[in-house]
Every structure is written in structure tokens, then in C-alpha cells.
Amino acid sequence: ARAARPPPLAARTYELSELLVDVLGVTDVGATYPHRVTYHPTCHSLRMTRVGDRPLRLLRRVRDIDLVELPAADECCGFGGTFALKNADTSAAMLADKLRHVGSTGARVVTAGDASCLLHIGGGLARLTTSTPHGGVRTAHLAEILATEATP
């Protein structure tokens, strides 16, 4: 008898929040993160993977988090792979808008599910805060926040 072929790789691949919420049925992963956080929904998560509110559902269940809404959250940070190289001025303007919105939240941490967006935003934040050694806003991947446990 011939072995059944496994489903295509795409059918077995999930974005982190999709895996946790839809496949495993988990919204509370037991994380504790005592920081003011704002969430950047990446273009990829909005338009390609369509994760919807899954990351926010997970973040809302994190203990001690102060989750604040990011104004104009669905606007691109300006990275977009080669876009930032081919359209550097436009990319920089888009990043400046995103950083202004982040600053308006009073958040100490910006999170997203896309490392490239976090690198772009983090680089912009680092350039803004070089004169304030301990007062800057930082980035953290969604997985980092969800994996954080309370310290004794």
C-alpha cells in the first residue's frame, strides 16, 4: 500500500498567535509582564497572514501588563524589506510617524510579531533616545512577552 502524502507545508504552518489561539485554544499562556506596552500590527499580519486580534487577545491576558492602544496602528512602519532601501526618504517619514504615535502612548515597550518591523522601529527609537540612557522605549517580540514569567 502506498503511504498517504502529508498535507502541503503551508497547511501545517502557523503564525505564533494563530497556533496558540486557533490550534491550541490558548489565550492565557501564564505570562507576567509589568510594563506599559503598545502593539504594532505589522503589514504582513494585516494583509498576508490576517492574524486579526489574536495577538491582542493574548496580550490582554498577560498579568500586570499595561496595554495601551497605538494610534494609527494599521499604518506601516516604513520597512517592508526592499521598500526601505528603494524609497529611503518615504520609509524614514513613515517611521517618524510611527515613532510619534508610539511616543504619544507613553509605552515603554513596542511589541509586534515581525522581527524586521521591530528592528526598524527599534533602530528609530535608539536614534531618538541616545541622549537618555535609561529612559528610552524599547522593542520586544510578542513571543518574548508571552514567554516572560514573574520573577520571585
Side-chain angles (χ1 to χ4, degrees):
R2 196 168 174 200
R5 295 183 78 179
L9 182 60
R12 298 177 288 144
T13 305
Y14 301 96
E15 184 275 336
L16 175 63
S17 65
E18 180 184 30
L19 174 68
L20 291 170
V21 174
D22 294 350
V23 177
L24 301 177
V26 174
T27 55
D28 186 346
V29 298
T32 300
Y33 198 77
H35 303 283
R36 185 168 215 182
V37 177
T38 194
Y39 170 71
H40 166 65
T42 66
C43 293
H44 189 75
S45 71
L46 290 170
R47 294 170 185 84
M48 297 299 292
T49 58
R50 300 186 190 281
V51 299
D53 71 340
R54 290 176 192 94
L56 288 169
R57 288 166 57 192
L58 291 161
L59 287 167
R60 287 182 188 120
R61 300 294 299 268
V62 172
R63 286 153 193 76
D64 300 327
I65 197 169
D66 179 9
L67 186 61
V68 293
E69 185 176 343
L70 179 63
D74 61 346
E75 290 181 7
C76 181
C77 71
F79 186 68
T82 60
F83 176 84
L85 298 172
K86 293 179 179 180
N87 303 288
D89 292 340
T90 303
S91 174
M94 293 168 79
L95 177 60
D97 286 346
K98 183 60 67 174
L99 297 179
R100 183 173 38 81
H101 293 306
V102 167
S104 75
T105 68
R108 307 310 298 152
V109 179
V110 180
T111 192
D114 186 312
S116 61
C117 291
L118 291 174
L119 285 170
H120 189 58
I121 293 168
L125 290 168
R127 288 187 294 279
L128 284 177
T129 60
T130 54
S131 61
T132 55
H134 301 293
V137 179
R138 67 179 190 89
T139 60
H141 193 280
L142 175 66
E144 180 183 348
I145 292 173
L146 296 178
T148 305
E149 297 178 7
T151 54

